[in-house]
Amino acid sequence: MSVSLTSEDSIPSAKAEQILVGAMEVFLGAGYAGTSMDRVAAQAGVSKHTIYNHFSDKEGLFNALIERLVLRRFHIEFGCELPLEDPPEQVLRRLALILLNLREDPEYIAFFRLLIAESGRFPELAQLYYQKVIQEGNRVLSAYLQAHPALTVDQTEARSHIFFGSLVCHILAQDVLQGKQLMPMPDQALIDCLIKMVLSPAAA
């Protein structure tokens, strides 16, 4: 028995991956507004027609980069399902570590900074990340908490929101805003507190 994650698209072809690598370099160097399909095509070493064969438009490319950087890692770890047969503490710890371990990827941190910097001019980009990562994470975790036969928790949506929101805020505060230089917070302490909060029984 399991809780389904959103099905991952098929693994990108070698050509699509080539385009995404080039697109990432252009987005990080020129910003969203300064990125054009011509520049991506030149950086990736493909024709503009080839890009449009794989991705609908610039936003489609940006969306694919979110999937490449973040969502692919969840599917590598879990496939398309959260296993109800595994201990809940273990499942939540694995979920948290997938997201927090993204900080070891300098490309992800640079992408996260770009997302924040461009969110004022292009709010749809921030909303795209929120929908793909936080909102989808909330949906999956809330469904998992409701479906697990050993758990008796209430307000599952709120618990899930706090879980994923806290992890994203931790990355922002510690790594993007350089908070780990001023007031470091060990990952393990944060994860332990979040798991205890999420799995605490419903009030009588």
Side-chain angles (χ1 to χ4, degrees):
M1 193 174 184
S2 57
V3 173
S4 296
L5 298 162
T6 298
S7 297
E8 185 182 27
D9 293 335
S10 58
I11 299 298
S13 66
K15 186 63 69 176
E17 186 70 17
Q18 178 181 341
I19 295 168
L20 289 174
V21 170
M24 177 65 79
E25 294 177 4
V26 178
F27 276 122
L28 294 182
Y32 189 79
T35 295
S36 67
M37 291 304 202
D38 286 320
R39 296 184 72 168
V40 172
Q43 185 67 37
V46 300
S47 69
K48 203 158 64 165
H49 178 72
T50 300
I51 296 178
Y52 284 116
N53 279 343
H54 289 85
F55 306 98
S56 56
D57 51 24
K58 187 163 70 169
E59 186 174 316
L61 265 177
F62 202 84
N63 177 65
L65 287 173
I66 293 174
E67 294 180 351
R68 176 176 177 266
L69 281 172
V70 184
L71 300 184
R72 190 184 299 181
R73 303 183 192 219
F74 284 92
H75 286 92
I76 288 172
E77 176 71 20
F78 289 106
C80 292
E81 300 174 331
L82 290 184
L84 289 173
E85 62 272 14
D86 291 348
E89 295 88 349
Q90 183 185 101
V91 172
L92 265 63
R93 194 171 300 278
R94 287 164 66 191
L95 281 172
L97 286 174
I98 291 169
L99 198 51
L100 292 183
N101 285 344
L102 287 170
R103 296 176 304 164
E104 303 302 318
D105 183 356
E107 196 173 61
Y108 172 77
I109 295 299
F111 185 82
F112 200 22
R113 287 195 176 103
L114 169 67
L115 188 68
I116 294 168
E118 298 283 39
S119 63
R121 288 190 297 169
F122 304 101
E124 66 275 12
L125 300 182
Q127 291 171 353
L128 190 61
Y129 182 91
Y130 190 93
Q131 291 169 343
K132 284 280 186 177
V133 179
I134 301 177
Q135 192 172 55
E136 176 62 11
N138 289 347
R139 181 194 69 79
V140 171
L141 182 53
S142 180
Y144 172 84
L145 296 175
Q146 292 176 23
H148 201 289
L151 297 178
T152 55
V153 297
D154 60 358
Q155 298 181 325
T156 59
E157 290 186 7
R159 291 172 190 250
S160 301
H161 184 81
I162 292 170
F163 183 79
F164 279 102
S166 296
L167 293 172
V168 172
C169 183
H170 183 64
I171 295 173
L172 174 63
Q174 293 281 289
D175 295 273
V176 177
L177 299 179
Q178 304 298 322
K180 64 185 176 184
Q181 308 299 327
L182 303 172
M183 192 174 68
M185 166 62 69
D187 291 349
Q188 208 59 50
L190 176 72
I191 294 172
D192 289 344
C193 286
L194 284 175
I195 290 175
K196 183 177 180 181
M197 181 279 299
V198 169
L199 298 182
S200 62

XYZ file of all heavy atoms in Angstrom, residues 15-30 35-37 39-46 51 55 61 65 68 107:
245
model
N 19.224 14.721 -25.783
C 19.120 16.042 -26.406
C 18.423 17.031 -25.480
O 18.856 18.185 -25.343
C 18.378 15.943 -27.737
C 18.338 17.228 -28.547
C 19.744 17.670 -28.968
C 20.325 16.713 -30.007
N 21.644 17.184 -30.504
N 17.347 16.586 -24.809
C 16.642 17.463 -23.872
C 17.546 17.832 -22.706
O 17.560 18.980 -22.250
C 15.371 16.781 -23.367
N 18.326 16.881 -22.238
C 19.251 17.151 -21.139
C 20.320 18.150 -21.574
O 20.699 19.046 -20.818
C 19.909 15.840 -20.686
C 20.780 15.974 -19.453
C 20.005 16.244 -18.187
O 18.775 16.030 -18.148
O 20.641 16.700 -17.212
N 20.776 18.032 -22.798
C 21.758 18.964 -23.355
C 21.187 20.384 -23.378
O 21.868 21.353 -23.038
C 22.136 18.521 -24.767
C 23.124 19.419 -25.488
C 23.419 18.920 -26.899
O 23.185 17.756 -27.233
N 23.905 19.807 -27.743
N 19.929 20.491 -23.772
C 19.267 21.797 -23.799
C 19.133 22.367 -22.388
O 19.383 23.560 -22.158
C 17.883 21.683 -24.464
C 18.028 21.302 -25.945
C 17.094 22.982 -24.317
C 16.721 20.889 -26.603
N 18.760 21.527 -21.423
C 18.574 21.996 -20.053
C 19.883 22.468 -19.432
O 19.905 23.459 -18.701
C 17.953 20.879 -19.204
C 16.492 20.554 -19.505
C 16.045 19.340 -18.702
C 15.589 21.746 -19.209
N 20.961 21.777 -19.725
C 22.269 22.202 -19.215
C 22.619 23.585 -19.766
O 23.057 24.484 -19.034
C 23.357 21.179 -19.580
C 24.748 21.736 -19.273
C 23.136 19.868 -18.827
N 22.408 23.767 -21.065
C 22.672 25.065 -21.670
C 21.748 26.139 -21.132
O 22.175 27.274 -20.865
N 20.468 25.795 -20.960
C 19.495 26.766 -20.457
C 19.845 27.213 -19.043
O 19.734 28.408 -18.710
C 18.093 26.160 -20.488
N 20.281 26.288 -18.208
C 20.652 26.644 -16.838
C 21.779 27.659 -16.841
O 21.745 28.659 -16.106
C 21.079 25.392 -16.070
C 21.550 25.681 -14.646
S 20.239 26.332 -13.591
C 19.367 24.815 -13.191
N 22.783 27.456 -17.676
C 23.912 28.387 -17.744
C 23.459 29.774 -18.185
O 23.914 30.796 -17.642
C 24.972 27.830 -18.695
C 25.631 26.554 -18.191
C 26.627 25.980 -19.181
O 26.859 26.612 -20.232
O 27.180 24.902 -18.906
N 22.539 29.826 -19.131
C 22.064 31.121 -19.618
C 21.189 31.806 -18.573
O 21.350 33.012 -18.299
C 21.296 30.968 -20.946
C 20.763 32.327 -21.415
C 22.198 30.376 -22.027
N 20.263 31.074 -17.960
C 19.397 31.664 -16.936
C 20.222 32.231 -15.786
O 19.966 33.345 -15.312
C 18.418 30.619 -16.390
C 17.172 30.432 -17.209
C 16.834 29.199 -17.723
C 16.311 31.494 -17.454
C 15.683 29.011 -18.474
C 15.152 31.339 -18.195
C 14.844 30.082 -18.714
N 21.207 31.464 -15.313
C 22.014 31.923 -14.184
C 22.894 33.098 -14.552
O 23.178 33.957 -13.716
C 22.872 30.770 -13.653
C 22.120 29.588 -13.025
C 23.104 28.556 -12.492
C 21.182 30.052 -11.920
N 23.314 33.166 -15.803
C 24.185 34.258 -16.229
C 23.448 35.514 -16.635
O 23.909 36.632 -16.366
N 22.290 35.359 -17.262
C 21.588 36.511 -17.837
C 20.293 36.859 -17.123
O 19.684 37.892 -17.414
C 21.298 36.249 -19.320
N 17.264 36.006 -20.822
C 17.379 34.712 -21.496
C 16.461 34.671 -22.703
O 15.284 35.010 -22.612
C 17.022 33.565 -20.532
O 17.995 33.522 -19.488
C 17.009 32.225 -21.253
N 16.994 34.269 -23.815
C 16.199 34.088 -25.032
C 16.464 32.695 -25.581
O 17.473 32.056 -25.251
C 16.588 35.123 -26.094
O 17.922 34.895 -26.544
N 15.561 32.231 -26.413
C 15.747 30.918 -27.021
C 16.989 30.909 -27.913
O 17.664 29.886 -28.042
C 14.500 30.520 -27.810
C 13.291 30.221 -26.944
S 13.605 28.942 -25.709
C 11.946 28.373 -25.369
N 19.787 32.541 -27.323
C 20.951 32.379 -26.455
C 21.047 30.946 -25.932
O 22.148 30.392 -25.815
C 20.883 33.359 -25.286
C 20.959 34.819 -25.708
C 20.983 35.764 -24.533
N 22.259 35.719 -23.828
C 22.624 36.607 -22.905
N 21.808 37.617 -22.592
N 23.776 36.510 -22.303
N 19.912 30.358 -25.575
C 19.922 28.974 -25.101
C 20.394 28.045 -26.207
O 21.199 27.134 -25.981
C 18.525 28.553 -24.595
C 18.490 27.055 -24.288
C 18.133 29.359 -23.360
N 19.898 28.263 -27.418
C 20.285 27.423 -28.553
C 21.791 27.499 -28.784
O 22.461 26.470 -28.999
C 19.533 27.851 -29.808
N 22.348 28.708 -28.707
C 23.784 28.873 -28.919
C 24.584 28.192 -27.818
O 25.585 27.513 -28.080
C 24.128 30.358 -28.982
N 24.135 28.349 -26.567
C 24.850 27.752 -25.442
C 24.758 26.226 -25.464
O 25.728 25.533 -25.136
C 24.282 28.288 -24.127
C 25.022 27.830 -22.886
C 26.416 28.379 -22.797
O 26.670 29.522 -23.165
N 27.359 27.569 -22.333
N 23.591 25.710 -25.846
C 23.382 24.261 -25.847
C 23.918 23.594 -27.116
O 24.025 22.365 -27.163
C 21.888 23.952 -25.703
N 24.220 24.395 -28.124
C 24.729 23.828 -29.366
C 23.671 23.108 -30.170
O 23.943 22.092 -30.821
N 22.435 23.653 -30.139
C 21.333 23.065 -30.902
C 20.615 24.194 -31.644
O 20.868 25.376 -31.394
C 20.330 22.317 -29.983
C 21.015 21.184 -29.241
C 19.666 23.293 -28.995
N 14.894 23.121 -29.720
C 14.404 23.480 -28.384
C 12.881 23.423 -28.346
O 12.285 22.846 -27.430
C 14.892 24.880 -27.988
C 16.411 24.901 -27.872
C 14.250 25.311 -26.659
C 16.985 26.265 -27.536
N 10.468 21.695 -25.678
C 9.900 22.576 -24.658
C 9.036 23.644 -25.328
O 9.413 24.198 -26.354
C 11.012 23.241 -23.849
C 11.975 22.259 -23.245
C 13.194 21.994 -23.868
C 11.662 21.577 -22.084
C 14.087 21.084 -23.330
C 12.541 20.650 -21.541
C 13.760 20.402 -22.165
N 10.835 25.796 -20.275
C 12.225 25.473 -19.946
C 12.489 25.660 -18.457
O 13.126 24.819 -17.811
C 13.172 26.383 -20.739
C 13.750 25.875 -22.053
C 14.588 26.971 -22.698
C 14.589 24.631 -21.844
N 13.558 22.900 -15.577
C 14.722 23.010 -14.715
C 14.368 22.758 -13.253
O 15.156 22.166 -12.509
C 15.369 24.388 -14.872
C 16.123 24.605 -16.189
C 16.580 26.060 -16.308
C 17.313 23.663 -16.299
N 14.156 19.112 -12.985
C 15.492 18.518 -13.065
C 16.253 18.688 -11.753
O 16.923 17.765 -11.281
C 16.264 19.170 -14.209
C 17.718 18.715 -14.372
C 18.311 19.377 -15.610
N 19.710 19.038 -15.792
C 20.723 19.769 -15.344
N 20.472 20.886 -14.668
N 21.976 19.409 -15.556
N 24.564 24.669 -8.000
C 23.658 25.078 -9.065
C 22.261 25.328 -8.516
O 21.579 26.268 -8.938
C 23.635 23.998 -10.149
C 23.048 24.447 -11.465
C 23.203 23.391 -12.539
O 22.670 22.280 -12.389
O 23.872 23.690 -13.542
